[in-house]
Amino acid sequence: QVQLVESGGGLVQPGGSLRLTCAASGSIRSVNAMGWYRQAPGKQRELVAVITSGRSTNYANSVKGRFTISRDNAKNTVYLQMNGLEPEDTAVYYCNADVLRTYGFVSVSYWGQGIQVTVSS
C-alpha cells in the first residue's frame, strides 16, 4: 500500500508563513505529479499547486506569488511554502500524488488525510 502523511499545518496570523510537508511511503516505484489541494467549509475542494516529477509547476491564481511548491524526488516528498497568508487561505489542505506502485502497471492517485491551516488574528 501507499500512504501520504502531511505535517506543518496550524494557526498563523495574517501575513504569516507556514510550510506544509507531505511524505509518500510504501510500495512505490515512482511518483509522478504531486500536488496540494484545499477545501474550506462549505466550498468544493480546489487545486492549490501541483508539481511534476520534472519540477514543472502550476498554481491557482489566488496563491501565485505567495505560495511555492517544491519536491524531493529521492524522499518522495512534496512541500508547500506559504507566505503572506490571508484569512481566505483558511482550509483543510490535502496532499495528492500519482504513484506507480512497485508491481503496478498504471499510476494511481492517492490522498493524504488532510491538515488544517487557520489564518486568523
Side-chain angles (χ1 to χ4, degrees):
Q1 259 296 6
V2 173
Q3 299 83 36
L4 301 183
V5 178
E6 300 132 331
S7 61
L11 172 64
V12 63
Q13 292 187 342
S17 298
L18 283 175
R19 189 192 195 206
L20 303 183
T21 299
C22 172
S25 63
S27 300
I28 297 172
R29 184 192 305 175
S30 64
V31 181
N32 301 319
M34 303 185 80
W36 291 94
Y37 292 72
R38 67 186 181 187
Q39 187 167 18
K43 295 187 177 181
Q44 290 188 332
R45 190 174 299 189
E46 62 176 2
L47 173 70
V48 177
V50 64
I51 184 169
T52 68
S53 58
R55 294 184 170 83
S56 295
T57 59
N58 191 32
Y59 295 90
N61 287 334
S62 60
V63 307
K64 282 181 180 178
R66 300 187 297 124
F67 291 9
T68 302
I69 190 170
S70 60
R71 66 187 287 170
D72 184 333
N73 288 338
K75 295 181 179 179
N76 292 327
T77 298
V78 63
Y79 308 94
L80 185 68
Q81 178 65 44
M82 305 185 291
N83 298 329
L85 282 160
E86 304 167 352
E88 293 73 24
D89 296 315
T90 296
V92 177
Y93 283 69
Y94 296 90
C95 175
N96 175 263
D98 288 332
V99 177
L100 181 61
R101 293 188 293 175
T102 303
Y103 299 106
F105 296 96
V106 295
S107 294
V108 176
S109 180
Y110 289 90
W111 291 90
Q113 77 284 359
I115 191 165
Q116 180 69 45
V117 170
T118 302
V119 184
S120 175
S121 55

